[in-house]
């Protein structure tokens, strides 16, 4: 991969170039102390230290969106979203988008948001309780900006750099900087599967579930949690079908017709979340979807961190 040197004001130049035909967003620290993704007008306003409370998934998979509307006998698809540019994305959230890209590869509405999304990555500073998953390849991005160097990771990224012409230095071969936080490898998939299967009676599950409030905060802020429900509403002579975020910690998540619930207890819901994060489902079975951002632990009101649950199980079960 090649990088080029860039001037000190490159970030603002890039923002202005993207704003011509994109709505530009970035994570910014609010006056209320919450970091959130919002319209960005100055490169210097990007949060350098904190991740946004809600990750980039809210851009490509909004908390609620219309799938179709029925009026009379006519079905109407949702409006096509305009192109967005998301700047200042840290590596963990870039890896999370890569996971969502694979999970929603055949979802046309997801693709209509994701394909025109221009991603600009930036280095992070280690946060409380975060770590980096081991990866042999850099995360996906269109551009990655680190101080006075910029990398292009896609064709449209390289094409955009051409706009800046002589202000950029000569291309040199170099890899994007690795995250500064420690890398924490996960046990092999087969070992994780055995750990999950053989630890069903481990008291740790009961102890952790007893503290869990089933509030769902961990799933809401997780950059790869993407369960959704489908809801129909009737208003003004129209039927609207929407999908909205669901949560595997809610008692209704596994409730089916007839009143049967596949996971009626918090312990079962906790183990289900563990399975989803570390073992995966369907075509992504064996793919760990935890990217180490640490949001779940920081936002849990009773300090439950699923990665620490994994560590404790590994130590107790002797993996």
């Amino acid at each position: 991969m090649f990088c080029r040197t860039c001037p000190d004001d490159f970030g603002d130049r890039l923002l202005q170039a993207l704003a011509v035909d994109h709505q530009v967003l970035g994570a910014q620290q609010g006056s209320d102390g919450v970091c959130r993704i919002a319209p960005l007008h100055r490169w210097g306003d990007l949060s350098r230290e904190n991740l946004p409370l809600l990750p980039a998934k809210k851009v490509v998979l909004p908390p609620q969106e219309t799938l179709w509307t029925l009026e009379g006998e006519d079905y109407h698809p949702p409006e096509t979203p305009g192109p967005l540019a998301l700047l200042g994305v840290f590596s963990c959230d870039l890896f999370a988008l890569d996971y969502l890209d694979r999970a929603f590869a055949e979802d046309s509405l997801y693709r209509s948001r994701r394909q025109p999304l221009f991603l600009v990555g930036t280095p992070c500073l280690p946060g409380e309780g975060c770590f980096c998953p081991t990866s042999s390849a850099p995360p996906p991005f269109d551009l990655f900006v680190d101080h006075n160097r910029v990398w292009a990771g896609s064709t449209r990224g390289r094409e955009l750099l051409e706009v800046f012409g002589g202000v950029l230095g000569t291309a040199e071969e170099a890899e994007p900087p690795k995250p500064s936080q420690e890398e924490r490898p996960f046990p092999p998939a087969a070992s994780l599967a055995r750990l999950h299967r053989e630890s069903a009676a481990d008291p740790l599950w009961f102890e952790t579930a007893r503290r869990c409030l089933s509030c769902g905060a961990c799933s809401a802020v997780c950059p790869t949690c993407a369960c959704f429900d489908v809801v129909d509403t009737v208003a003004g002579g129209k039927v609207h079908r929407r999908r909205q975020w669901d949560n595997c910690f809610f008692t209704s998540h596994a409730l089916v017709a007839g009143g049967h619930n596949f996971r009626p207890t918090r312990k079962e819901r906790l183990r289900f979340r563990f399975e989803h994060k570390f073992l995966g489902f369907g075509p992504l079975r064996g793919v760990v979807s935890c990217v180490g951002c640490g949001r779940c632990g920081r936002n849990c009101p009773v300090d439950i961190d699923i990665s620490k649950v994994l560590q404790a199980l590994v130590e107790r079960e002797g993996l």
Side-chain angles (χ1 to χ4, degrees), residues 4-18:
R4 303 175 72 173
T5 56
C6 55
D8 291 339
D9 63 347
F10 177 73
D12 281 314
R13 293 186 187 216
L14 174 62
L15 193 157
Q16 292 167 11
L18 287 168

Side-chain angles (χ1 to χ4, degrees), residues 70-72 234-240:
L70 174 64
E71 185 175 14
V234 180
K238 300 178 183 178
V239 178
H240 304 275

Side-chain angles (χ1 to χ4, degrees), residues 97 99 113 274 282:
L97 283 171
Y99 178 85
R113 296 182 186 279
F274 180 99

